[in-house]
Amino acid sequence: MPLSHQTVIVLDFGGQYNQLIARRVRECGVYCEVKPYTTPLADIRAMNPIGIIFTGGPNSVYDPKSPQVDPAIFTWGVPILGICYGCQLMAHNLGGRVTEAQDDSAREYGKTETYFDSACKLFKGLPAQGITWMSHGDYMEKVPEGFALVAHSDACPNVAICDESRGFYGVQYHPEVNHTEHGTDMIRNFLYEVCGAAGDWTMGDYKETAIRQIREKVGDGKVLLALSGGVDSSVAAALVAEAVGSQLTCVFVDHGLMRLNEGDEVEEAFKKWDINFVRANAEELFLSKLSGVSEPERKRKIIGEEFIRVFEAEAKKIGQVDYLVQGTIYPDVIESGTGDAAVIKSHHNVGGLPDYVDFKEIIEPLRMLFKDEVRQLGRELGLPEYLVMRQPFPGPGLAIRVIGEVTKDKLDTLRLADFIFRDEIAKAHLEGTMNQYFAVLTNMRSVGVMGDGRTYDYTLALRSVTTTDFMTADWTRIPYEVLDRISVRIVNEVPHINRIVYDITSKPPATIEWE
């Protein structure tokens, strides 16, 4: 289907911040897609992009084995922004010379005071001085002919380069990360001042386009949706319900791994659509499969496989089913590894699928959306706010928030403790200060004293993070008095917990979830 809006292509060269670039572009009202650097140029050109962004990456452009790009891309007349490795790749291809930094002064990492030429379109309207986030050990020894130096630091004279006649810009820092001051403004300038963006992409537009595409793909076929009860699968369900209505059978698997009262809330939210809603009670099945299993990745694989098996069983009851829908979103794809990116962890709806799936095709309508975009789409679809703003919840549910073997007793303990945590946060009106918060039942037991008796019970960990994109996150500074109330309530109201700890690790180096 021809794209109905302007598009920017982000060419992925394997860096750790690559998907943040896409997020920033979309924040500016411009649609973009991330493509691997191996994508044939004919495919990229067929999308008629108004601009192209080369991402960062861990390689050195002078290494014969490093990711490269067909030089023909520089002859199209399409503006290009190169970031870090992308900047050096541009210089390398256009007659410059990139070498390994010979001394520490040419290497730059972390926050760096930087000076900008505001006459350059990339920095139009921005301060002439600010902090950028550097992460490079190579050095542009020679800048390509026709390029001007438009930003520098105390250590590096060519922090940013440009050839405005051709619309080529390169920066050695990362404007997409929050550490770079006015970084999103720089990307916005590239989009609007250089590429001539109209800002014609909105979530309402995404909704209408996705509904149209789903209808065209499905035709008169039957659809089965994998509803886990979290925000992602719920929004996917609402989107497909809008598209094909009664052709959708929405199977909500009550696997016994949900938070307190969530099953009933999910079922209530979908009464507004004319769909076949099936609530499959499969708690005993999942717990039996998880019995004796402690390894996190194995738990994820088991849950993913059992989800599919339950869906297949339900599909047989309703006859032929042509399509399976999943609520996969962009961070799931990123963290499960794409192209040259490292695998951080697998997700049940990406890496946990069995080799054989008894459906014609899998539909993932949210695959290109970040979490906050999914929430926006949910509102566009009319989902209730309690569901749209539900705390992010992993596909494997509480199984990966119970460290070690999963049992019914542990789940019940965690469910109640997690509810108390969320209840006290709500009572303190702190929901808006954090983006994800939950409890983890560790497999560590310790000595305690309750009343006049000695206890030997579990340690519960509390986790809360603040983030704009879930790719990086900082731990939340919850007031001590609130943490105290949470701790007192949990120890007094939840059996088998005698110690509470608070996780103060950011991402990176930690992930948001514990398993």
Side-chain angles (χ1 to χ4, degrees), residues 235 266 393 515:
V235 173
V266 171
F393 196 53
E515 287 194 344

Side-chain angles (χ1 to χ4, degrees), residues 87-209:
C87 173
Q88 296 169 0
L89 181 67
M90 181 185 296
H92 180 73
N93 274 272
L94 295 177
R97 183 164 56 252
V98 179
T99 63
E100 182 179 5
Q102 298 302 310
D103 55 68
D104 290 340
S105 64
R107 300 184 181 92
E108 292 181 300
Y109 297 96
K111 294 181 179 180
T112 305
E113 194 72 42
T114 307
Y115 309 90
F116 308 100
D117 179 357
S118 56
C120 172
K121 290 181 180 179
L122 203 62
F123 309 122
K124 181 179 178 181
L126 303 182
Q129 183 176 343
I131 297 296
T132 62
W133 184 261
M134 298 284 193
S135 182
H136 66 94
D138 288 334
Y139 176 71
M140 275 192 293
E141 186 177 81
K142 177 186 175 184
V143 174
E145 186 175 346
F147 278 75
L149 305 182
V150 290
H152 67 277
S153 66
D154 293 334
C156 181
N158 49 25
V159 168
I161 60 175
C162 77
D163 180 343
E164 297 208 302
S165 65
R166 289 188 284 178
F168 295 159
Y169 297 79
V171 297
Q172 300 240 65
Y173 56 88
H174 289 271
E176 70 273 23
V177 303
N178 288 332
H179 300 303
T180 295
E181 295 176 346
H182 302 287
T184 298
D185 293 327
M186 296 172 192
I187 292 174
R188 181 180 291 108
N189 278 343
F190 174 70
L191 298 171
Y192 287 89
E193 299 295 330
V194 179
C195 301
D200 61 356
W201 188 76
T202 66
M203 193 50 60
D205 176 58
Y206 183 92
K207 181 190 77 170
E208 296 304 324
T209 300

